[in-house]
Amino acid sequence: MTGELGVLNALDVAKTQWYHFTAIVIAGMGFFTDAYDLFCISLVTKLLGRIYYTDPAATKPGTLPPNVQSAVTCVALCGTLAGQLFFGWLGDKMGRKKVYGLTLMLMVVCSLASGLSFGSSAKGVMATLCFFRFWLGFGIGGDYPLSATIMSEYANKRTRGAFIASVFAMQGFGILSGGIVALIVSSAFDHKYMVPSYQENAKASLVIPAFDYVWRIILMFGAVPAALTFYWRMKMPETARYTALVAKNAKQAAADMSKVLNVDLKAEEEIVQKITEADNNKFGLCSKEFVKRHGLHLVGTATTWFLLDIAFFSQNLFQKDVFSAIGWIPPAEEMNAIHEVYMIARAQTLIALCGAVPGYWFTVALIDYLGRFAIQLIGFFFMTVFMFALAISYNHWTKKDNIIGFVVIYSLTFFFSNFGPNATTFIVPAEIFPARLRSTCHGISAAAGKAGAIVGAFGFLYAAQSKDPTKTDKGYPTGIGIKNSLFMLGVVNFFGMLFTLLVPEPKGKSLEELSGENEEGVEAIELARSARTTPV
């Protein structure tokens, strides 16, 4: 042992205090905004197709062309991937707090700008929308590693999992709020204009420019929660682990945490110097030493997040297509433009309320009892089971009398993704890596997840198209159909279960125990390896 810092030990053993809840709210509201902004686009893509690509002489309302649909849906994910890598690295170089405010400002500005997308043609509006949503995603990407790292470094070791999970659980409220905002806005416009369905009167079913405001209001609302928390985010002190172990400023770390914890802490400069100058705290990300200690950890966190997001984002972004395919949402031509937004929002809100949100809070309640490993394994297992249950009996579930059964089982896949790998893949990378590489490694793991999200979003967009050329959406080639797509998602979830065996169990251990930062030589390597695959 090289010695243990009193300031870090004080954080590890601290009772749950007001500052813990303050940190959860400040970090969580950023994550609320992340989820709202990423998923609200799925509520308005059908409306965008009607407004900008409808031919009144056609028998069906317009839809976004395949290339435009792909760009609008996935460009924010591409920005998020880039932001996770860049801001994750920057968080370890400049400090968590300095970068945290920058990501939030970027999110506020680009949320507003997305709703103000302009152009004299459909192509122009879509191009500016994609531009602003890329940079919105870039800001969102930074929030992933920074929120997780800040919360893990502030938390005590007994309830650290629940605190980080609480931040992540705000994603559920973000998704739910997206549906609620869309319901309110679409309902208000629908009642004001009372227009007929498309098949009754194609021209009258779309009121321009009034309906053009609907999607803009929904997208711009994402700026509100982020803007409200900016002041408090800037008032948060830098985490003691960054200040002491990375910036090597023992006095500042002790002073900051003395205020936060309301106790007197000594500035242990000699211990900080001894820890930070030890050989086991000098290796870099691309070194053999890192590969020896944490290589399999990083492979485990990155692959499981990659596989999870293939399923999770394809389910979230295209659930409207699944519900249309099984008949829960009427055919587009039987609705006017705004009523279609309302029906899509209603379906997404019910799924979020009944399946997604409860799953997040089950994780919060149980993660420090069951452990991360067990919850991730259970989640992937049941996601696999329910996906195969839907796929094998797909023809049965699509019959009118059985639609409710389909929706219930589909909701359970969301429940077990959130009481499962969707939460744990966010939590574990913030706990198991050294302080000087923690944000970077979380960013790499999260970026692997967004690569999976892009694969899922692009893949499902094309794969879910009907095998019958007469039933595909306009401009799309034939695909493998919803049934076979569900089979594929089941296989992806199964592989996620296998790669979970590479993920360590951090329950009940301090961050320094997990990373081996307080140990020397062989002892540090053995400590890092000891938690590799089995739960504590």
Side-chain angles (χ1 to χ4, degrees), residues 366-376 424 505-507 535-536:
L366 297 174
I367 191 165
D368 288 311
Y369 298 96
L370 297 179
R372 291 70 160 152
F373 181 90
I375 287 176
Q376 185 160 311
T424 54
E505 176 53 75
K507 184 183 74 169
V536 173

Side-chain angles (χ1 to χ4, degrees), residues 224-297:
V224 175
L228 291 175
T229 56
F230 181 77
Y231 172 77
W232 287 276
R233 191 174 278 204
M234 291 296 90
K235 294 285 285 182
M236 284 181 78
E238 181 59 84
T239 70
R241 285 182 162 90
Y242 181 86
T243 306
L245 300 177
V246 184
K248 305 176 185 179
N249 190 335
K251 285 184 179 179
Q252 189 63 51
D256 287 343
M257 291 307 106
S258 293
K259 291 178 184 176
V260 168
L261 296 170
N262 291 318
V263 295
D264 289 325
L265 295 168
K266 294 179 180 178
E268 301 164 302
E269 295 181 13
E270 288 185 12
I271 298 178
V272 167
Q273 186 177 2
K274 200 172 181 181
I275 292 173
T276 55
E277 291 182 1
D279 289 340
N280 66 305
N281 286 325
K282 290 181 178 177
F283 61 84
L285 181 67
C286 299
S287 65
K288 288 182 180 178
E289 190 70 13
F290 178 85
V291 173
K292 192 186 297 181
R293 296 186 187 205
H294 300 290
L296 280 179
H297 293 168

